[in-house]
Amino acid sequence: MKYATRINSFKQSPYYKDQNLSTINVINLISQIDGITDIELNFPQAFEGSTIPKIKDAVKNAGLKVSGVALRYEHIFENGEFTNPDEKIRQKAIQMTKDAVDVCRQLGGSVTTIWTANDGFDYPFQINYNDAWDKTVDALKRVTTAYPDNKISFEYKPYEPRTFSLIEGISSTLLLEDEVGAKNLGVTLDFCHMLMKRENPAYSLALAARKHRLLGFHLNDGQGNTDDGLMLGTVHLLETLEFIYYAKKYHYDEVNYFDTFPIRENPIKECQQNVEMYKRLSNFIDDLGLDEIDSLINSQDGLSVQRKLLLNLLNNHDMSHN
């Protein structure tokens, strides 16, 4: 099992506010967390003040691997990345995406994740929907065609910072990717984003797996209205358990990336809690058995689900699994 965590959880933490942490400093801190195997780097922010060779050496010396690179587009893209009305800025977004894939390759990463924060709208009549869709398809075709041997994943979010995102849910994401038609294009499922969309996360996972598009997880929890980034399983425990069950069912083998925001918590301890929670829920599923859970699901009996899963989970105190 591969686990990674968020660099900005450390860089932005009050626990380290006086230390002005570099990416290499954060890599060394993350290496202290038991169970963390990988690191995911935001592009281009994580590379400011450092070089690819230095980061590569730091990751190796820390005993970690790079799982992938995630796009974080700069402020010039506030009117859109792939749908920006200024064609020069739009082309810059496409080139920046290609650059991120190239950096991911150099670092030995598996997946480049695209989140277009600003492709969307705030008002009626603000964009031409079909034109914006066509521009997004075109951009993804260019990127995936340029790097056909590299996994590229699209992370959707229903809103924030825009009032409406153009690609806002699992259905529109899968429709988009069918139109792009690239075999190396997939989906990154962010637990909070799915809650914000009022999706059941496990159902979204099953749909992505059905289309053979499952490439990434951003694991966290929240109340469902905003991108809270709370610790795994702290609000939606059974939904998290179901999500992990379907990850096992569909043989997900990419990294489990903890995208949480420890504002008041010690980031190392907070991440350790995420690892331990995932392992405990995963072990519970293994102990019960996929076949037993399949049988429970096929009964379509909500009462049996509560008794067999929730009550047994609450009575399960075995923390001996690793």
Side-chain angles (χ1 to χ4, degrees):
M1 192 71 70
K2 296 179 288 187
Y3 299 100
T5 192
R6 179 175 175 267
I7 281 186
N8 283 351
S9 294
F10 294 79
K11 277 193 172 184
Q12 299 171 355
S13 170
Y15 277 79
Y16 304 108
K17 63 181 178 182
D18 299 325
Q19 298 184 31
N20 193 26
L21 294 176
S22 68
T23 296
I24 291 174
N25 294 146
V26 174
I27 290 169
N28 292 329
L29 283 172
I30 290 174
S31 70
Q32 300 175 24
I33 304 169
D34 184 34
I36 292 293
T37 60
D38 292 70
I39 191 164
E40 183 169 300
L41 299 160
N42 288 350
F43 183 86
Q45 293 80 7
F47 298 87
E48 294 169 357
S50 191
T51 64
I52 292 174
K54 287 182 179 179
I55 290 176
K56 195 171 184 177
D57 286 343
V59 171
K60 182 179 179 181
N61 292 335
L64 300 170
K65 293 182 179 179
V66 173
S67 60
V69 169
L71 268 297
R72 289 297 179 267
Y73 297 93
E74 300 157 321
H75 293 300
I76 64 166
F77 301 109
E78 61 184 7
N79 289 322
E81 293 91 2
F82 297 156
T83 67
N84 198 292
D86 186 327
E87 186 59 26
K88 289 183 179 179
I89 294 178
R90 178 175 179 269
Q91 292 300 327
K92 184 177 177 66
I94 294 172
Q95 185 58 51
M96 182 177 164
T97 308
K98 291 180 179 180
D99 292 343
V101 180
D102 190 55
V103 168
C104 185
R105 288 176 56 174
Q106 293 181 55
L107 292 170
S110 175
V111 179
T112 302
T113 304
I114 299 171
W115 171 51
T116 53
N118 299 292
D119 279 340
F121 55 97
D122 306 300
Y123 299 98
F125 301 101
Q126 189 172 17
I127 66 169
N128 181 315
Y129 304 115
N130 281 323
D131 181 62
W133 186 277
D134 289 340
K135 286 181 176 179
T136 303
V137 171
D138 171 73
L140 291 174
K141 281 185 176 180
R142 294 191 193 188
V143 175
T144 54
T145 300
Y147 295 95
D149 298 325
N150 295 88
K151 296 176 183 177
I152 298 165
S153 194
F154 193 93
E155 177 185 359
Y156 64 89
K157 187 177 182 180
Y159 50 88
E160 289 184 352
R162 300 305 293 256
T163 305
F164 297 93
S165 298
L166 181 69
I167 312 300
E168 34 57 80
I170 187 61
S171 298
S172 59
T173 301
L174 293 176
L175 176 62
L176 172 74
E177 296 188 350
D178 276 354
E179 291 195 18
V180 174
K183 292 182 179 180
N184 59 326
L185 182 62
V187 182
T188 291
L189 299 172
D190 184 296
F191 205 88
C192 261
H193 297 182
M194 291 183 284
L195 295 176
M196 291 166 67
K197 179 60 179 171
R198 301 292 294 168
E199 293 176 356
N200 180 33
Y203 182 30
S204 300
L205 190 163
L207 291 175
R210 181 182 182 88
K211 288 291 187 176
H212 308 289
R213 298 290 186 184
L214 193 59
L215 282 184
F217 291 166
H218 283 188
L219 300 174
N220 44 38
D221 209 337
Q223 300 297 336
N225 296 316
T226 58
D227 197 4
D228 298 332
L230 301 181
M231 287 182 285
L232 185 73
T234 51
V235 182
H236 295 86
L237 182 61
L238 274 188
E239 288 88 345
T240 304
L241 182 70
E242 186 186 28
F243 189 83
I244 296 172
Y245 157 77
Y246 276 98
K248 288 176 175 291
K249 181 180 179 67
Y250 293 113
H251 308 291
Y252 175 77
D253 61 359
E254 299 291 345
V255 72
N256 293 297
Y257 172 75
F258 298 113
D259 191 13
T260 53
F261 316 149
I263 298 172
R264 298 169 187 84
E265 297 77 24
N266 180 306
I268 291 178
K269 293 181 179 179
E270 189 260 8
C271 183
Q272 191 70 64
Q273 177 72 15
N274 288 323
V275 174
E276 292 176 3
M277 176 62 83
Y278 191 101
K279 286 184 176 181
R280 179 157 188 172
L281 294 177
S282 177
N283 291 333
F284 176 81
I285 292 169
D286 290 343
D287 289 344
L288 196 58
L290 294 182
D291 290 342
E292 178 68 20
I293 297 175
D294 283 343
S295 176
L296 189 64
I297 292 171
N298 291 334
S299 74
Q300 298 190 27
D301 184 345
L303 180 59
S304 295
V305 169
Q306 297 298 311
R307 293 191 62 82
K308 187 72 175 183
L309 294 181
L310 183 57
L311 294 182
N312 281 358
L313 183 64
L314 293 174
N315 287 330
N316 188 322
H317 303 294
D318 182 9
M319 295 291 288
S320 62
H321 293 283
N322 292 312

